[in-house]
Amino acid sequence: MGPIPSRWKGTCQTGSDPTFRCNRKLIGARYFIKGFAAEAGALVTSKFYTPRDTLGHGSHTLSTAGGNFVEGANIFGYGNGTAKGGSPRARVAAYKACWPPIIPSDSCTDADVLAAFDMAIHDGVDVLSVSMGGLPVPYAQDSIAIGSFHAIKHGIVVVTSGGNSGAYPGTIANTAPWLITVGASTIDREFSSYIVLGNNKRYRGVSLSSKALPKGKSFPIITGASAKVANATAQEANFCIEGTLDPKKAKGTILVCHIGGSPAFNKCTQATSVGAVGIVILNSAFFGNEMYAEPYLCPATHISYSDGLQVSSYVNSTRKATAYITRPTTELETKPAPVMAAFSSIGPNRVTPEILKPDITAPGVSILAAYTGVQGPTETDLDNRRVKFNTMTGTSMSCPHVAGVVGLLKTLHPTWSPAAIKSAIMTSARTRDNTINPMTNSTHLKASPFAYGSGHIWPNRAMDPGLVYDLTIDDYMNFLCAQGYNKTQISFFTQGHFKCPEPISFSNLNLPSITVPKLKGSIVVTRTLKNVGSPGTYKAHIRSPVAITVVVEPNTLEFKKIGEEKSFKITLKVKGHKAPKDYVFGHLIWSDKKHYVRSPIVVKVTKNVR
């Protein structure tokens, strides 16, 4: 790569790690530990003072966002090919603000997170990929919301994870409207490993085991409960928890272990320690058909809930049950994909229900990316294997996919605001999978905008969105004022004086989504579109939510030049008396037959209490 840009003000902070190096790709690395050290005290030793990644999470996410082209990337030969980040020619910098969980409180302190944000702004980053987030909290108590607001003021786009507390309504994190908040969905690649039973039935699971059973040889298969020690419960043994399995019963068998109770990696360790030759991990009803390929230390496969019932039935009803686990293979173009991940946190937005979150979904399951050389791929002390690449799963993995796309959009459109870039990504997303059906979740049910926001990211369409919904920093300030924050709380964001105007309606914030959480009778919502493409005439196409009428005025907008703005009104009205009890969903598309500018519509009717 060429010389480091002269505008870059970052540094390579080596601390107590003289072997740490930056280069023309990794042009900055810093660590922030003062907040953590104040809480952890003497537990913080000199070895902490380094930006080096010892967990793997930072290497994985940063390479996903901006890693260069690497031929022959794989893990144990699986997923082999040329890997690249979303913006492969970008320079990258790392800001380490989280630490090992050696204290009961959070390992990412607000002080360190805010310091990292403000230093990244000082150094001159263009995009911030923040694979962090807990449960939703008010903006004035949220260091990511405050730090990212400072970044947005400087034109820096901030992309964040939606969180991994999925399937429970209202768990979505990073709810501020200036953030791009990302959910997680699957890709069309799987690492398949089959369990073949003695009755010749085969069930497909997933695995990245580096060890395999001898080819063509079957072994006895038993449940964890069948191998339990006297003082363990059947449930503990079925989870294959440490100390619950009897070597005399387990030796030479394939063990059936249930997901939960202990990490999946540990089940392999426990099975091997009592002489088992391999394991089959059965999903719970909660995870349904969602399986994660992990780099197990023993021959193993992870199968779906419904297939798990079949395997359990065979094992429990057959006197001498036998089975075989096949070596994993890499399968491409699997269907359906994308599917929403069960762990991906979902809406509604608990902090401001009028703002749809997440904004978008992106690949976040079994993602192959760079990894640390400090520990093994299972993150356990017993794992002495070392890999340059590892698969990881979570909204931490989907966030940098979007950040990488933002980097490309910034290069193509350097004058666009963070809101315009966010709008381009949201309005161009898709809501159907590769079977051309609506996206589903891991239990085969149709997913909603509370899971995927505007849909699954479609980068090539985001390059030329046609129209965007734009916002300025003053719009966000007005939004904060309408939260009812006092002067001190407002100053966290402004870092100076700001006079609040008259309160605004949250529903009228010019976002690329329309959410009305308390519709009584009818409401009029306003939006403004800016032309960023060729001149054209756009017509409105509506899919109304169930039992709601939606009228757009005007329903045709003509744009004659770039930068031209046009406003429109949307009237949402409850039809008749049989209003739906829960949220209902629709969409609005503005199209000139070349561009399709799509916005989700989310409505909940409030019954009039007499």
Side-chain angles (χ1 to χ4, degrees), residues 52-58 371-372 374-375 379 392:
R52 193 182 296 277
D53 171 25
T54 55
L55 188 67
H57 185 271
Y371 197 61
T372 180
V374 177
Q375 65 172 2
E379 302 174 24
M392 295 177 87

Side-chain angles (χ1 to χ4, degrees), residues 34-369:
K34 286 182 182 174
F36 182 74
E39 290 187 25
L43 292 170
V44 175
T45 59
S46 62
K47 69 174 185 180
F48 279 78
Y49 289 81
T50 170
R52 193 182 296 277
D53 171 25
T54 55
L55 188 67
H57 185 271
S59 303
H60 199 279
T61 52
L62 189 54
S63 67
T64 302
N68 213 330
F69 295 86
V70 179
E71 290 179 13
N74 66 78
I75 176 169
F76 306 129
Y78 308 123
N80 188 53
T82 299
K84 72 176 185 71
S87 287
R89 297 296 188 214
R91 316 281 182 154
V92 298
Y95 296 84
K96 183 176 179 179
C98 294
W99 302 91
I102 57 173
I103 53 174
S105 60
D106 195 354
S107 60
C108 316
T109 65
D110 288 336
D112 293 337
V113 170
L114 280 166
F117 266 109
D118 286 346
M119 190 53 79
I121 296 163
H122 162 273
D123 289 349
V125 304
D126 297 300
V127 184
L128 271 165
S129 184
V130 186
S131 286
M132 295 165 59
L135 289 169
V137 290
Y139 309 120
Q141 296 166 28
D142 183 345
S143 57
I144 295 174
I146 296 165
S148 61
F149 192 91
H150 299 171
I152 296 285
K153 277 202 300 189
H154 289 83
I156 300 164
V157 183
V158 185
V159 187
T160 54
S161 298
N164 303 330
S165 307
Y168 300 105
T171 49
I172 190 72
N174 292 318
T175 55
W178 48 88
L179 295 169
I180 302 178
T181 305
V182 190
S185 29
T186 63
I187 57 175
D188 62 350
R189 177 186 66 195
E190 288 183 350
F191 301 104
S192 300
S193 169
Y194 291 79
I195 172 82
V196 184
L197 302 178
N199 60 7
N200 288 325
K201 294 271 176 72
R202 289 164 60 90
Y203 299 97
R204 190 171 66 81
V206 294
S207 177
L208 288 164
S209 292
S210 56
K211 291 180 180 172
L213 293 174
K215 201 165 186 182
K217 186 182 177 189
S218 290
F219 294 86
I221 182 169
I222 63 171
T223 63
S226 301
K228 80 179 189 71
V229 292
N231 62 350
T233 67
Q235 185 182 34
E236 287 169 338
N238 273 337
F239 284 146
C240 298
I241 291 171
E242 185 177 0
T244 64
L245 302 170
D246 186 341
K248 292 189 187 113
K249 299 173 185 173
K251 192 172 183 196
T253 68
I254 292 172
L255 275 176
V256 176
C257 302
H258 291 242
I259 198 168
S262 66
F265 307 130
N266 288 0
K267 298 181 196 302
C268 244
T269 310
Q270 296 317 311
T272 307
S273 71
V274 293
V277 296
I279 61 170
V280 181
I281 300 174
L282 310 187
N283 244 2
S284 62
F286 172 82
F287 284 103
N289 301 286
E290 184 166 310
M291 299 95 73
Y292 309 130
E294 305 280 16
Y296 299 108
L297 279 157
C298 70
T301 188
H302 179 179
I303 64 175
S304 72
Y305 175 66
S306 53
D307 287 348
L309 294 176
Q310 301 294 322
V311 170
S312 294
S313 172
Y314 166 75
V315 172
N316 290 325
S317 63
T318 309
R319 209 156 176 216
K320 288 192 174 176
T322 60
Y324 175 73
I325 300 169
T326 68
R327 181 183 282 279
T329 57
T330 306
E331 289 188 7
L332 305 177
E333 298 180 20
T334 57
K335 293 181 177 179
V339 171
M340 288 310 303
F343 62 79
S344 186
S345 293
I346 60 174
N349 180 339
R350 268 203 227 160
V351 185
T352 314
E354 294 84 354
I355 294 169
L356 178 65
K357 288 284 174 172
D359 298 298
I360 195 85
T361 187
V365 176
S366 296
I367 303 302
L368 186 79

